[in-house]
Structure formats: structure tokens, C-alpha cells
Amino acid sequence: MPVIEEYVKADGTVVRRHTRLPAAARRETAILGMIVAGVFIFGSGNTTATGTQQGQERLPQPQATTVYPIKRPGWDKPAVRPTPTVPYPIVFPSSGSGR
């Protein structure tokens, strides 16, 4: 928010230091407030079944569609890991810089 420093108008009126909303902020704040109020008013509906009498059905319940444990392709046959071809470490000559 911009801060307006204290100043004197042409007619001699002293205006104290104050803050000012940016351009179009009042309109945007009002629109945002209406949207939030609408969400609270219209979005708080109760969707549970009330008064289950003879002949009335209950609301459908979600069913699990996933089978656990999840198995990926090749789950039963793990990949063969490479093995070193020589049983000793290979030391490469260094360039002398120590890197």
C-alpha cells in the first residue's frame, strides 16, 4: 500500500501522513468479498440423507477400486544388477592437479 507523506495543499490545509489503497483496489476487494460470501452461503449445503423411510434409498457411498499391494510390470522378475568384471579396483592416473 502506498504511503502518502504529510503535505500542505494550495489553500493552506495540512494533510497528515496516511496510506492509500492502490487504484481499483476497492472494486477488487468488494468483488472478492462477494465471492467469499457466496461460497459461505451457497457452499455450505448439507448433502446427507435425512429421514430414511421405507422406499427411500441412502446416498451412494464411494467404493475402493484399487487392489493393494500395487504391483508394477516385472514385479516378480527383478532386473539383474551388473557385476564388476575385475575383482580389484582400477586406479586411473591423475593429471597432477589433485582433482
Side-chain angles (χ1 to χ4, degrees):
M1 256 194 314
V3 176
I4 310 300
E5 297 295 331
E6 182 177 309
Y7 65 96
V8 179
K9 291 184 177 181
D11 63 354
T13 306
V14 177
V15 178
R16 293 183 295 175
R17 180 177 189 236
H18 62 279
T19 58
R20 179 177 169 218
L21 290 173
R26 291 180 198 262
R27 178 176 174 262
E28 291 171 0
T29 305
I31 291 172
L32 180 65
M34 287 189 290
I35 290 171
V36 169
V39 167
F40 278 118
I41 292 171
F42 297 113
S44 63
N46 194 357
T47 59
T48 59
T50 58
T52 55
Q53 299 174 355
Q54 287 281 4
Q56 286 185 336
E57 295 183 22
R58 298 183 62 88
L59 291 175
Q61 299 296 318
Q63 300 295 323
T65 58
T66 306
V67 178
Y68 291 98
I70 298 173
K71 295 186 178 183
R72 305 278 181 223
W75 178 271
D76 298 330
K77 300 177 189 176
V80 179
R81 302 202 123 192
T83 57
T85 56
V86 292
Y88 53 88
I90 299 174
V91 180
F92 293 100
S94 66
S95 62
S97 65
R99 285 179 43 170

